[in-house]
Amino acid sequence: MTQPPLLIAVDVGGTTTAGGAVTSTGEVVLEERIPTRRDGPGRAVGVIEELIEHLRTAATRLGHPIRGIGVGVPGAVDTVTGRVTADVVHVPELAGVALAAMLERRFGLPVFVDNDVNALALAEWTFGLARGARSLVVLAAGTGFGAGIVLNGRLVRGAGGYGGELGHTPVKFDGPRCFCGGRGCGALYASGRGIADAARARVAGHPDAALQRAAGGDLLAITAPLVFQVAAEGDPIAVAIVDEACQAMGAIIGVVVNGLNPEVVIITGGVVASLAPLETRILKAASEYALPQALAQTRVTIVPSDKRVTMRGAAALVLYEMGKEESR
Ligand SMILES: [Zn+2]
């Protein structure tokens, strides 16, 4: 019996690279993960190729034809050339690499490469919570803060692959320098890195502060989840940082709703397990910044992050790009 065709989907992360063989309805048939740094720093391309090779061999053995390969990377991608830009902080060896062309040569299959949050948006749009919507914005608050935008049935990538950098919209115009080089960005307040940095700055030199004690006196052990935990215990410094995170998230939702008026906004990412109990406060903050009539037409949902969703997004990317080619 002929088996259904599969898409090979890869999500490249700073820590783990997850791959799968996925059906066109999003069902994961095969799955494998390899630590991105398994072969040492600078060797991620070899890990990606090995993962694809394993999945292709296993899928072929089961009798499935392979339609194409999708790869999500944690940075901006010029999808016209399939080249990763210089902005790929967590896997720096991919900077400037023409990954799509390289993998096409190696595997002889169509290959599509895009930013991982764009892949995540395509996953929610194709298989997930935003199925059937014409417009969608995914806000992904992890270590950094990314976003993926689908408008009128098209992914919005911008001129050079930077479309969707909504974490770096300023929410405080006279705010401090951001790690992106800008000022007062939302990511300073609502990303894991921003929350941890803010907490460290406020308790440095105060060994009796609750956050320092909870981290065993080690400033570097202060992480965003720890800040949320200490805030839940009532510490005023941690409470203030969490308040700012909710307010910044509300302001970013305001930018999205007023600027794009999408049908669906999905908030996800590693920080979201911590943000989920704060949903009411985030929505209240959003109502302070968004136009009420626009916000009323947007469904805002907060969901915990799941690496599998991003991986399936790389499969959705292949379907999206091949669908565009077929409709030409
Ligand atoms: Zn920034």
Side-chain angles (χ1 to χ4, degrees), residues 279-294:
E279 182 161 359
T280 314
R281 284 162 65 189
I282 292 168
L283 293 179
K284 182 173 172 293
S287 71
E288 286 177 40
Y289 302 110
L291 295 166
Q293 300 296 339

Side-chain angles (χ1 to χ4, degrees), residues 168 178 180 182 185:
H168 298 286
C178 176
C180 75
C185 297

Side-chain angles (χ1 to χ4, degrees), residues 109-235:
L109 287 162
V111 180
F112 304 96
V113 178
D114 206 335
N115 169 262
D116 54 1
V117 189
N118 283 349
L120 183 55
L122 288 174
E124 294 293 5
W125 187 46
T126 311
F127 309 126
L129 292 168
R131 219 172 344 166
R134 292 287 297 159
S135 54
L136 151 78
V137 175
V138 171
L139 300 173
T143 307
F145 195 120
I149 303 170
V150 173
L151 276 186
N152 300 325
R154 305 287 281 195
L155 190 62
V156 177
R157 288 164 164 145
Y162 291 90
E165 287 295 340
L166 288 165
H168 298 286
T169 44
V171 298
K172 194 169 187 333
F173 72 84
D174 56 352
R177 280 274 162 230
C178 176
F179 39 86
C180 75
R183 261 184 100 172
C185 297
L188 283 171
Y189 305 96
S191 73
R193 177 174 172 178
I195 290 167
D197 283 351
R200 288 171 193 152
R202 283 183 217 190
V203 300
H206 301 282
D208 290 336
L211 277 163
Q212 278 246 39
R213 279 188 276 114
D218 177 6
L219 282 181
L220 290 177
I222 298 179
T223 59
L226 188 75
V227 174
F228 285 102
Q229 182 195 317
V230 173
E233 291 159 10
D235 172 62

